mmCIF file of all heavy atoms in Angstrom:
data_model
loop_
_atom_site.group_PDB
_atom_site.id
_atom_site.type_symbol
_atom_site.label_atom_id
_atom_site.label_comp_id
_atom_site.label_asym_id
_atom_site.label_seq_id
_atom_site.Cartn_x
_atom_site.Cartn_y
_atom_site.Cartn_z
ATOM 1 N N ILE A 12 -23.639 27.763 5.012
ATOM 2 C CA ILE A 12 -24.721 26.864 4.595
ATOM 3 C C ILE A 12 -24.147 25.543 4.062
ATOM 4 O O ILE A 12 -24.669 24.462 4.318
ATOM 5 C CB ILE A 12 -25.646 27.548 3.533
ATOM 6 C CG1 ILE A 12 -26.151 28.888 4.079
ATOM 7 C CG2 ILE A 12 -26.832 26.648 3.203
ATOM 8 C CD1 ILE A 12 -26.815 29.771 3.017
ATOM 9 N N ASP A 31 -13.300 24.290 -1.806
ATOM 10 C CA ASP A 31 -13.443 25.614 -1.196
ATOM 11 C C ASP A 31 -12.077 26.282 -1.199
ATOM 12 O O ASP A 31 -11.066 25.635 -0.884
ATOM 13 C CB ASP A 31 -13.994 25.452 0.249
ATOM 14 C CG ASP A 31 -14.600 26.746 0.795
ATOM 15 O OD1 ASP A 31 -13.911 27.784 0.789
ATOM 16 O OD2 ASP A 31 -15.770 26.712 1.216
ATOM 17 N N ASN A 35 -13.659 32.711 2.761
ATOM 18 C CA ASN A 35 -14.563 33.153 3.836
ATOM 19 C C ASN A 35 -14.856 32.016 4.793
ATOM 20 O O ASN A 35 -15.976 31.907 5.296
ATOM 21 C CB ASN A 35 -15.852 33.707 3.222
ATOM 22 C CG ASN A 35 -16.637 34.565 4.203
ATOM 23 O OD1 ASN A 35 -16.034 35.244 5.050
ATOM 24 N ND2 ASN A 35 -17.951 34.465 4.171
ATOM 25 N N SER A 36 -13.872 31.167 5.025
ATOM 26 C CA SER A 36 -14.113 30.014 5.917
ATOM 27 C C SER A 36 -12.768 29.439 6.358
ATOM 28 O O SER A 36 -11.746 29.872 5.862
ATOM 29 C CB SER A 36 -14.932 28.946 5.197
ATOM 30 O OG SER A 36 -14.330 28.619 3.959
ATOM 31 N N PHE A 80 -22.418 26.181 -3.776
ATOM 32 C CA PHE A 80 -22.575 27.238 -2.747
ATOM 33 C C PHE A 80 -21.516 28.334 -2.896
ATOM 34 O O PHE A 80 -21.721 29.446 -2.426
ATOM 35 C CB PHE A 80 -22.361 26.667 -1.334
ATOM 36 C CG PHE A 80 -23.430 25.733 -0.870
ATOM 37 C CD1 PHE A 80 -23.201 24.362 -0.841
ATOM 38 C CD2 PHE A 80 -24.636 26.205 -0.389
ATOM 39 C CE1 PHE A 80 -24.181 23.480 -0.358
ATOM 40 C CE2 PHE A 80 -25.601 25.356 0.087
ATOM 41 C CZ PHE A 80 -25.376 23.987 0.090
ATOM 42 N N LYS A 84 -20.960 36.952 -0.988
ATOM 43 C CA LYS A 84 -22.367 37.187 -0.629
ATOM 44 C C LYS A 84 -22.661 38.492 0.089
ATOM 45 O O LYS A 84 -23.777 38.678 0.564
ATOM 46 C CB LYS A 84 -22.847 36.021 0.207
ATOM 47 C CG LYS A 84 -22.101 35.886 1.528
ATOM 48 C CD LYS A 84 -22.833 35.039 2.539
ATOM 49 C CE LYS A 84 -22.074 34.985 3.853
ATOM 50 N NZ LYS A 84 -22.740 34.246 4.887
ATOM 51 N N ASN A 99 -16.458 36.221 -9.755
ATOM 52 C CA ASN A 99 -16.464 35.027 -8.890
ATOM 53 C C ASN A 99 -17.769 34.223 -9.051
ATOM 54 O O ASN A 99 -17.744 33.034 -9.289
ATOM 55 C CB ASN A 99 -16.274 35.460 -7.444
ATOM 56 C CG ASN A 99 -15.865 34.282 -6.557
ATOM 57 O OD1 ASN A 99 -14.861 33.638 -6.805
ATOM 58 N ND2 ASN A 99 -16.648 34.003 -5.558
ATOM 59 N N TYR A 148 -24.614 41.845 -6.232
ATOM 60 C CA TYR A 148 -24.746 40.498 -5.671
ATOM 61 C C TYR A 148 -26.043 39.857 -6.166
ATOM 62 O O TYR A 148 -26.062 38.735 -6.663
ATOM 63 C CB TYR A 148 -24.728 40.524 -4.136
ATOM 64 C CG TYR A 148 -25.191 39.228 -3.555
ATOM 65 C CD1 TYR A 148 -24.392 38.100 -3.605
ATOM 66 C CD2 TYR A 148 -26.480 39.086 -3.022
ATOM 67 C CE1 TYR A 148 -24.822 36.885 -3.120
ATOM 68 C CE2 TYR A 148 -26.919 37.869 -2.533
ATOM 69 C CZ TYR A 148 -26.113 36.780 -2.591
ATOM 70 O OH TYR A 148 -26.554 35.561 -2.134
HETATM 71 P P1 LIG B 1 -20.206 31.578 3.064
HETATM 72 O O1 LIG B 1 -19.356 32.741 2.686
HETATM 73 O O2 LIG B 1 -20.210 31.169 4.491
HETATM 74 O O3 LIG B 1 -19.798 30.319 2.188
HETATM 75 C C1 LIG B 1 -19.302 30.427 0.891
HETATM 76 C C2 LIG B 1 -18.071 29.565 0.775
HETATM 77 O O4 LIG B 1 -17.609 29.636 -0.583
HETATM 78 C C3 LIG B 1 -16.935 30.042 1.676
HETATM 79 O O5 LIG B 1 -16.439 28.927 2.396
HETATM 80 C C4 LIG B 1 -15.884 30.594 0.702
HETATM 81 O O6 LIG B 1 -14.583 30.368 1.202
HETATM 82 C C5 LIG B 1 -16.197 29.798 -0.554
HETATM 83 N N1 LIG B 1 -15.834 30.442 -1.833
HETATM 84 C C6 LIG B 1 -16.205 31.666 -2.267
HETATM 85 N N2 LIG B 1 -15.734 31.869 -3.530
HETATM 86 C C7 LIG B 1 -15.061 30.741 -3.883
HETATM 87 C C8 LIG B 1 -14.367 30.316 -5.030
HETATM 88 N N3 LIG B 1 -14.257 31.103 -6.089
HETATM 89 N N4 LIG B 1 -13.829 29.097 -5.045
HETATM 90 C C9 LIG B 1 -13.927 28.259 -3.964
HETATM 91 N N5 LIG B 1 -14.572 28.610 -2.867
HETATM 92 C C10 LIG B 1 -15.145 29.819 -2.786
HETATM 93 O O7 LIG B 1 -21.671 31.884 2.551
HETATM 94 P P2 LIG B 1 -23.039 31.129 2.852
HETATM 95 O O8 LIG B 1 -23.849 31.997 3.683
HETATM 96 O O9 LIG B 1 -22.791 29.739 3.259
HETATM 97 O O10 LIG B 1 -23.675 31.151 1.395
HETATM 98 C C11 LIG B 1 -23.567 30.063 0.518
HETATM 99 C C12 LIG B 1 -24.265 30.405 -0.778
HETATM 100 O O11 LIG B 1 -25.629 30.700 -0.531
HETATM 101 C C13 LIG B 1 -23.680 31.613 -1.498
HETATM 102 O O12 LIG B 1 -23.696 31.373 -2.879
HETATM 103 C C14 LIG B 1 -24.640 32.732 -1.105
HETATM 104 O O13 LIG B 1 -24.672 33.706 -2.081
HETATM 105 C C15 LIG B 1 -25.965 31.962 -1.079
HETATM 106 N N6 LIG B 1 -26.962 32.597 -0.205
HETATM 107 C C16 LIG B 1 -26.644 32.921 1.070
HETATM 108 C C17 LIG B 1 -27.597 33.548 1.857
HETATM 109 C C18 LIG B 1 -27.268 33.947 3.280
HETATM 110 O O14 LIG B 1 -27.988 34.805 3.821
HETATM 111 N N7 LIG B 1 -26.267 33.388 3.913
HETATM 112 C C19 LIG B 1 -28.882 33.795 1.370
HETATM 113 C C20 LIG B 1 -29.169 33.429 0.038
HETATM 114 C C21 LIG B 1 -28.192 32.829 -0.736
#
Side-chain angles (χ1 to χ4, degrees):
I12 306 169
D31 199 305
N35 197 34
S36 52
F80 292 103
K84 63 161 182 178
N99 197 57
Y148 166 73

